Amino acid sequence: MTLAARLAAGEVLALSAEITHARRGALRHSFRTRTEHVLLSPESARPPRGLSLDHFNLLALYRRDHGGLRGAGTGAKWAWEQFAQAGLERRPGHVLALLTQPRFLGYWFNPVSFWMVIEGNDLYAVIAEVNNTFGQRHSYLLAQPGFAPITAAARLTARKVFHVSPFQDVAGEYRFRFALRPDGLAIQIAQIDGEAGVETAMTGALRPLTTSAIISGALRRPGGALRVIAQIYWHALRLKLKGAAYRPLPPAPQEEISR
């Protein structure tokens, strides 16, 4: 069964992702960590016990957390609208998937989530939904010309227009690579601003999410998104101690999505 068929049938997949993050330029800083993500089709998902949709649980996904204005999202409806406005004609075989980190005991924060249009085992379009720690959000729609399949060799670019880190300028461009397989995925994001920038990667195996996997993941890396934001502040402190210059928060882009 293809990845799209599994998701359309309601299967929820777990991704225990290895995250690497390396700052380029004169001031170097890098780290490696792991996070627990899920890949599912919000329109058809049948989550196991321990993960709920739109109500409290150990892990939970709320529609308002994704798709549109932060805290007032409309989920899959918004994502399909954005893909349609960009010219993607929805076919019967298309499945809309969301790769994200669920709420942990109600706490939510996601540096980036990905809406993906999948058919069979092929990826056709992506929306990278980016949140900063200042309560702002901006999304980037990524696709090949003519919405050709996004292969591992494809490099998708977007101009950086959104403030993510107070230690980086809003300048340069992002270069994305996606390698999606039925049993795993790899995402590489390089932010290039001359000699400066950041290189980030997320890799891991996709496995069926079970209640036992939810419990073991919570015990192995407790806190979920709370642990992630604690790491963000810890590395921000380390950068400040290394002498990184602080950039004031600029206004968020007027447009909610870049194409």
Side-chain angles (χ1 to χ4, degrees), residues 5-30:
R6 292 168 65 190
L7 296 172
E11 189 171 354
V12 179
L13 300 175
L15 176 74
S16 181
E18 180 178 74
I19 309 292
T20 60
H21 184 95
R23 181 183 172 113
R24 305 169 66 248
L27 196 158
R28 298 297 181 101
H29 182 75
S30 63

PDB file of all heavy atoms in Angstrom, residues 5-30:
ATOM      1  N   ALA A   5      -2.155   6.097   0.271  1.00  0.00           N
ATOM      2  CA  ALA A   5      -3.271   5.201   0.575  1.00  0.00           C
ATOM      3  C   ALA A   5      -3.347   4.906   2.063  1.00  0.00           C
ATOM      4  O   ALA A   5      -4.445   4.837   2.649  1.00  0.00           O
ATOM      5  CB  ALA A   5      -3.143   3.912  -0.223  1.00  0.00           C
ATOM      6  N   ARG A   6      -2.211   4.723   2.700  1.00  0.00           N
ATOM      7  CA  ARG A   6      -2.197   4.460   4.147  1.00  0.00           C
ATOM      8  C   ARG A   6      -2.763   5.653   4.910  1.00  0.00           C
ATOM      9  O   ARG A   6      -3.559   5.497   5.850  1.00  0.00           O
ATOM     10  CB  ARG A   6      -0.776   4.156   4.612  1.00  0.00           C
ATOM     11  CG  ARG A   6      -0.227   2.850   4.088  1.00  0.00           C
ATOM     12  CD  ARG A   6       1.271   2.737   4.331  1.00  0.00           C
ATOM     13  NE  ARG A   6       1.587   2.687   5.765  1.00  0.00           N
ATOM     14  CZ  ARG A   6       2.822   2.787   6.243  1.00  0.00           C
ATOM     15  NH1 ARG A   6       3.851   2.963   5.412  1.00  0.00           N
ATOM     16  NH2 ARG A   6       3.027   2.716   7.541  1.00  0.00           N
ATOM     17  N   LEU A   7      -2.347   6.857   4.526  1.00  0.00           N
ATOM     18  CA  LEU A   7      -2.838   8.047   5.207  1.00  0.00           C
ATOM     19  C   LEU A   7      -4.321   8.264   4.944  1.00  0.00           C
ATOM     20  O   LEU A   7      -5.080   8.629   5.853  1.00  0.00           O
ATOM     21  CB  LEU A   7      -2.035   9.270   4.769  1.00  0.00           C
ATOM     22  CG  LEU A   7      -0.545   9.258   5.135  1.00  0.00           C
ATOM     23  CD1 LEU A   7       0.181  10.427   4.473  1.00  0.00           C
ATOM     24  CD2 LEU A   7      -0.355   9.304   6.645  1.00  0.00           C
ATOM     25  N   ALA A   8      -4.754   8.026   3.698  1.00  0.00           N
ATOM     26  CA  ALA A   8      -6.170   8.178   3.366  1.00  0.00           C
ATOM     27  C   ALA A   8      -7.031   7.182   4.117  1.00  0.00           C
ATOM     28  O   ALA A   8      -8.207   7.465   4.422  1.00  0.00           O
ATOM     29  CB  ALA A   8      -6.375   8.026   1.857  1.00  0.00           C
ATOM     30  N   ALA A   9      -6.468   6.022   4.430  1.00  0.00           N
ATOM     31  CA  ALA A   9      -7.204   5.007   5.183  1.00  0.00           C
ATOM     32  C   ALA A   9      -7.258   5.309   6.679  1.00  0.00           C
ATOM     33  O   ALA A   9      -7.865   4.560   7.444  1.00  0.00           O
ATOM     34  CB  ALA A   9      -6.575   3.638   4.953  1.00  0.00           C
ATOM     35  N   GLY A  10      -6.592   6.374   7.098  1.00  0.00           N
ATOM     36  CA  GLY A  10      -6.676   6.794   8.488  1.00  0.00           C
ATOM     37  C   GLY A  10      -5.455   6.519   9.332  1.00  0.00           C
ATOM     38  O   GLY A  10      -5.430   6.874  10.523  1.00  0.00           O
ATOM     39  N   GLU A  11      -4.415   5.894   8.756  1.00  0.00           N
ATOM     40  CA  GLU A  11      -3.239   5.566   9.548  1.00  0.00           C
ATOM     41  C   GLU A  11      -2.491   6.840   9.962  1.00  0.00           C
ATOM     42  O   GLU A  11      -2.377   7.787   9.184  1.00  0.00           O
ATOM     43  CB  GLU A  11      -2.303   4.655   8.749  1.00  0.00           C
ATOM     44  CG  GLU A  11      -1.153   4.089   9.569  1.00  0.00           C
ATOM     45  CD  GLU A  11      -0.373   3.021   8.826  1.00  0.00           C
ATOM     46  OE1 GLU A  11      -0.787   2.632   7.711  1.00  0.00           O
ATOM     47  OE2 GLU A  11       0.657   2.578   9.365  1.00  0.00           O
ATOM     48  N   VAL A  12      -2.018   6.851  11.181  1.00  0.00           N
ATOM     49  CA  VAL A  12      -1.187   7.938  11.686  1.00  0.00           C
ATOM     50  C   VAL A  12       0.221   7.381  11.873  1.00  0.00           C
ATOM     51  O   VAL A  12       0.403   6.320  12.477  1.00  0.00           O
ATOM     52  CB  VAL A  12      -1.723   8.484  13.026  1.00  0.00           C
ATOM     53  CG1 VAL A  12      -0.826   9.607  13.539  1.00  0.00           C
ATOM     54  CG2 VAL A  12      -3.154   8.985  12.855  1.00  0.00           C
ATOM     55  N   LEU A  13       1.211   8.093  11.348  1.00  0.00           N
ATOM     56  CA  LEU A  13       2.593   7.627  11.396  1.00  0.00           C
ATOM     57  C   LEU A  13       3.405   8.482  12.368  1.00  0.00           C
ATOM     58  O   LEU A  13       3.185   9.693  12.483  1.00  0.00           O
ATOM     59  CB  LEU A  13       3.219   7.688  10.008  1.00  0.00           C
ATOM     60  CG  LEU A  13       2.523   6.838   8.939  1.00  0.00           C
ATOM     61  CD1 LEU A  13       3.159   7.071   7.575  1.00  0.00           C
ATOM     62  CD2 LEU A  13       2.550   5.366   9.301  1.00  0.00           C
ATOM     63  N   ALA A  14       4.324   7.831  13.044  1.00  0.00           N
ATOM     64  CA  ALA A  14       5.215   8.506  13.989  1.00  0.00           C
ATOM     65  C   ALA A  14       6.559   8.743  13.333  1.00  0.00           C
ATOM     66  O   ALA A  14       7.068   7.899  12.602  1.00  0.00           O
ATOM     67  CB  ALA A  14       5.387   7.658  15.248  1.00  0.00           C
ATOM     68  N   LEU A  15       7.138   9.895  13.621  1.00  0.00           N
ATOM     69  CA  LEU A  15       8.471  10.231  13.152  1.00  0.00           C
ATOM     70  C   LEU A  15       9.284  10.684  14.357  1.00  0.00           C
ATOM     71  O   LEU A  15       9.054  11.777  14.895  1.00  0.00           O
ATOM     72  CB  LEU A  15       8.433  11.342  12.100  1.00  0.00           C
ATOM     73  CG  LEU A  15       9.800  11.837  11.624  1.00  0.00           C
ATOM     74  CD1 LEU A  15      10.443  10.820  10.704  1.00  0.00           C
ATOM     75  CD2 LEU A  15       9.690  13.195  10.930  1.00  0.00           C
ATOM     76  N   SER A  16      10.193   9.843  14.798  1.00  0.00           N
ATOM     77  CA  SER A  16      11.157  10.245  15.816  1.00  0.00           C
ATOM     78  C   SER A  16      12.332  10.849  15.064  1.00  0.00           C
ATOM     79  O   SER A  16      13.203  10.133  14.560  1.00  0.00           O
ATOM     80  CB  SER A  16      11.599   9.046  16.664  1.00  0.00           C
ATOM     81  OG  SER A  16      12.506   9.447  17.660  1.00  0.00           O
ATOM     82  N   ALA A  17      12.315  12.168  14.949  1.00  0.00           N
ATOM     83  CA  ALA A  17      13.202  12.847  14.011  1.00  0.00           C
ATOM     84  C   ALA A  17      14.491  13.309  14.669  1.00  0.00           C
ATOM     85  O   ALA A  17      14.476  13.873  15.772  1.00  0.00           O
ATOM     86  CB  ALA A  17      12.494  14.056  13.403  1.00  0.00           C
ATOM     87  N   GLU A  18      15.593  13.075  13.993  1.00  0.00           N
ATOM     88  CA  GLU A  18      16.860  13.672  14.389  1.00  0.00           C
ATOM     89  C   GLU A  18      16.958  15.044  13.734  1.00  0.00           C
ATOM     90  O   GLU A  18      16.815  15.169  12.515  1.00  0.00           O
ATOM     91  CB  GLU A  18      18.036  12.805  13.963  1.00  0.00           C
ATOM     92  CG  GLU A  18      19.378  13.400  14.370  1.00  0.00           C
ATOM     93  CD  GLU A  18      20.558  12.531  13.991  1.00  0.00           C
ATOM     94  OE1 GLU A  18      20.874  12.492  12.786  1.00  0.00           O
ATOM     95  OE2 GLU A  18      21.140  11.900  14.884  1.00  0.00           O
ATOM     96  N   ILE A  19      17.173  16.060  14.551  1.00  0.00           N
ATOM     97  CA  ILE A  19      17.264  17.430  14.068  1.00  0.00           C
ATOM     98  C   ILE A  19      18.705  17.912  14.220  1.00  0.00           C
ATOM     99  O   ILE A  19      19.306  17.796  15.296  1.00  0.00           O
ATOM    100  CB  ILE A  19      16.344  18.370  14.876  1.00  0.00           C
ATOM    101  CG1 ILE A  19      14.911  17.812  14.946  1.00  0.00           C
ATOM    102  CG2 ILE A  19      16.367  19.772  14.299  1.00  0.00           C
ATOM    103  CD1 ILE A  19      14.185  17.798  13.640  1.00  0.00           C
ATOM    104  N   THR A  20      19.273  18.430  13.141  1.00  0.00           N
ATOM    105  CA  THR A  20      20.583  19.071  13.207  1.00  0.00           C
ATOM    106  C   THR A  20      20.430  20.532  12.805  1.00  0.00           C
ATOM    107  O   THR A  20      19.629  20.870  11.925  1.00  0.00           O
ATOM    108  CB  THR A  20      21.607  18.379  12.301  1.00  0.00           C
ATOM    109  OG1 THR A  20      21.136  18.424  10.938  1.00  0.00           O
ATOM    110  CG2 THR A  20      21.809  16.927  12.714  1.00  0.00           C
ATOM    111  N   HIS A  21      21.187  21.377  13.464  1.00  0.00           N
ATOM    112  CA  HIS A  21      21.078  22.821  13.248  1.00  0.00           C
ATOM    113  C   HIS A  21      22.476  23.405  13.329  1.00  0.00           C
ATOM    114  O   HIS A  21      23.161  23.227  14.344  1.00  0.00           O
ATOM    115  CB  HIS A  21      20.174  23.421  14.334  1.00  0.00           C
ATOM    116  CG  HIS A  21      19.905  24.897  14.171  1.00  0.00           C
ATOM    117  ND1 HIS A  21      18.779  25.378  13.540  1.00  0.00           N
ATOM    118  CD2 HIS A  21      20.613  25.979  14.583  1.00  0.00           C
ATOM    119  CE1 HIS A  21      18.799  26.701  13.569  1.00  0.00           C
ATOM    120  NE2 HIS A  21      19.902  27.091  14.194  1.00  0.00           N
ATOM    121  N   ALA A  22      22.910  24.078  12.280  1.00  0.00           N
ATOM    122  CA  ALA A  22      24.266  24.632  12.257  1.00  0.00           C
ATOM    123  C   ALA A  22      24.233  26.050  11.680  1.00  0.00           C
ATOM    124  O   ALA A  22      23.716  26.273  10.581  1.00  0.00           O
ATOM    125  CB  ALA A  22      25.198  23.754  11.428  1.00  0.00           C
ATOM    126  N   ARG A  23      24.777  26.978  12.426  1.00  0.00           N
ATOM    127  CA  ARG A  23      24.857  28.374  11.991  1.00  0.00           C
ATOM    128  C   ARG A  23      26.117  28.581  11.167  1.00  0.00           C
ATOM    129  O   ARG A  23      27.202  28.142  11.561  1.00  0.00           O
ATOM    130  CB  ARG A  23      24.856  29.281  13.221  1.00  0.00           C
ATOM    131  CG  ARG A  23      24.913  30.772  12.919  1.00  0.00           C
ATOM    132  CD  ARG A  23      24.972  31.553  14.219  1.00  0.00           C
ATOM    133  NE  ARG A  23      25.225  32.965  13.977  1.00  0.00           N
ATOM    134  CZ  ARG A  23      24.348  33.945  14.211  1.00  0.00           C
ATOM    135  NH1 ARG A  23      23.170  33.648  14.721  1.00  0.00           N
ATOM    136  NH2 ARG A  23      24.659  35.209  13.966  1.00  0.00           N
ATOM    137  N   ARG A  24      25.992  29.255  10.027  1.00  0.00           N
ATOM    138  CA  ARG A  24      27.110  29.559   9.160  1.00  0.00           C
ATOM    139  C   ARG A  24      27.614  30.966   9.435  1.00  0.00           C
ATOM    140  O   ARG A  24      26.938  31.780  10.043  1.00  0.00           O
ATOM    141  CB  ARG A  24      26.687  29.442   7.685  1.00  0.00           C
ATOM    142  CG  ARG A  24      26.094  28.107   7.313  1.00  0.00           C
ATOM    143  CD  ARG A  24      25.450  28.101   5.940  1.00  0.00           C
ATOM    144  NE  ARG A  24      26.403  28.298   4.856  1.00  0.00           N
ATOM    145  CZ  ARG A  24      26.451  29.366   4.088  1.00  0.00           C
ATOM    146  NH1 ARG A  24      25.617  30.360   4.281  1.00  0.00           N
ATOM    147  NH2 ARG A  24      27.329  29.447   3.118  1.00  0.00           N
ATOM    148  N   GLY A  25      28.831  31.270   8.957  1.00  0.00           N
ATOM    149  CA  GLY A  25      29.362  32.615   9.063  1.00  0.00           C
ATOM    150  C   GLY A  25      30.416  32.742  10.132  1.00  0.00           C
ATOM    151  O   GLY A  25      30.989  31.761  10.618  1.00  0.00           O
ATOM    152  N   ALA A  26      30.672  33.994  10.542  1.00  0.00           N
ATOM    153  CA  ALA A  26      31.759  34.265  11.480  1.00  0.00           C
ATOM    154  C   ALA A  26      31.488  33.675  12.856  1.00  0.00           C
ATOM    155  O   ALA A  26      32.398  33.213  13.542  1.00  0.00           O
ATOM    156  CB  ALA A  26      31.976  35.779  11.577  1.00  0.00           C
ATOM    157  N   LEU A  27      30.226  33.705  13.294  1.00  0.00           N
ATOM    158  CA  LEU A  27      29.870  33.165  14.611  1.00  0.00           C
ATOM    159  C   LEU A  27      29.236  31.795  14.399  1.00  0.00           C
ATOM    160  O   LEU A  27      28.108  31.695  13.914  1.00  0.00           O
ATOM    161  CB  LEU A  27      28.915  34.110  15.337  1.00  0.00           C
ATOM    162  CG  LEU A  27      28.754  33.896  16.839  1.00  0.00           C
ATOM    163  CD1 LEU A  27      28.250  35.161  17.510  1.00  0.00           C
ATOM    164  CD2 LEU A  27      27.820  32.734  17.155  1.00  0.00           C
ATOM    165  N   ARG A  28      29.948  30.752  14.757  1.00  0.00           N
ATOM    166  CA  ARG A  28      29.471  29.395  14.522  1.00  0.00           C
ATOM    167  C   ARG A  28      28.752  28.856  15.762  1.00  0.00           C
ATOM    168  O   ARG A  28      29.144  29.136  16.899  1.00  0.00           O
ATOM    169  CB  ARG A  28      30.634  28.460  14.179  1.00  0.00           C
ATOM    170  CG  ARG A  28      31.379  28.839  12.908  1.00  0.00           C
ATOM    171  CD  ARG A  28      30.481  28.755  11.695  1.00  0.00           C
ATOM    172  NE  ARG A  28      31.168  29.094  10.468  1.00  0.00           N
ATOM    173  CZ  ARG A  28      31.625  28.201   9.595  1.00  0.00           C
ATOM    174  NH1 ARG A  28      31.487  26.906   9.835  1.00  0.00           N
ATOM    175  NH2 ARG A  28      32.232  28.594   8.493  1.00  0.00           N
ATOM    176  N   HIS A  29      27.717  28.084  15.514  1.00  0.00           N
ATOM    177  CA  HIS A  29      26.993  27.422  16.608  1.00  0.00           C
ATOM    178  C   HIS A  29      26.209  26.264  15.995  1.00  0.00           C
ATOM    179  O   HIS A  29      25.596  26.408  14.947  1.00  0.00           O
ATOM    180  CB  HIS A  29      26.032  28.402  17.299  1.00  0.00           C
ATOM    181  CG  HIS A  29      25.304  27.799  18.464  1.00  0.00           C
ATOM    182  ND1 HIS A  29      25.924  27.580  19.678  1.00  0.00           N
ATOM    183  CD2 HIS A  29      24.026  27.369  18.606  1.00  0.00           C
ATOM    184  CE1 HIS A  29      25.052  27.054  20.522  1.00  0.00           C
ATOM    185  NE2 HIS A  29      23.895  26.917  19.898  1.00  0.00           N
ATOM    186  N   SER A  30      26.224  25.119  16.649  1.00  0.00           N
ATOM    187  CA  SER A  30      25.498  23.969  16.120  1.00  0.00           C
ATOM    188  C   SER A  30      25.010  23.094  17.266  1.00  0.00           C
ATOM    189  O   SER A  30      25.538  23.147  18.385  1.00  0.00           O
ATOM    190  CB  SER A  30      26.379  23.148  15.171  1.00  0.00           C
ATOM    191  OG  SER A  30      27.484  22.608  15.860  1.00  0.00           O
TER     192      SER A  30
END
